[in-house]
Amino acid sequence: APDETIDPLAILYDEYCQAVLAAGKGQPPTMEKLREIISVQTESIKSKYRCAMVDFKVVVKDGKPILKAIPK
């Protein structure tokens, strides 16, 4: 049976790593570092936008992969 506990961070991390490598922008950060970055950004965005959740997606801006925060 497939594992029902899919970690959204693991999926985001895979997408980000693929984007970094595809863009030729060096080595991607570790998952722990990405988790730390997302944690800090989430708290900042929650207080700025007064939202309950923040989603992230990988986008490429000016040839550089970035994490785009989406307040929910």
Side-chain angles (χ1 to χ4, degrees):
D3 186 358
E4 296 297 322
T5 57
I6 297 173
D7 182 1
L9 181 62
I11 294 168
L12 184 68
Y13 180 71
D14 286 344
E15 290 174 0
Y16 187 70
C17 288
Q18 289 174 15
V20 169
L21 295 172
K25 296 296 180 186
Q27 290 298 310
T30 63
M31 185 182 266
E32 290 75 26
K33 182 66 177 170
L34 191 70
R35 186 184 311 272
E36 183 182 309
I37 291 166
I38 287 174
S39 177
V40 169
Q41 286 187 354
T42 297
E43 292 309 311
S44 172
I45 290 163
K46 278 183 177 179
S47 64
K48 182 177 179 180
Y49 292 97
R50 307 224 187 292
C51 58
M53 289 180 56
V54 181
D55 283 346
F56 288 88
K57 70 177 184 176
V58 178
V59 295
V60 178
K61 184 175 181 179
D62 299 325
K64 182 179 179 186
I66 61 168
L67 292 173
K68 181 173 174 69
I70 304 157
K72 294 279 185 174

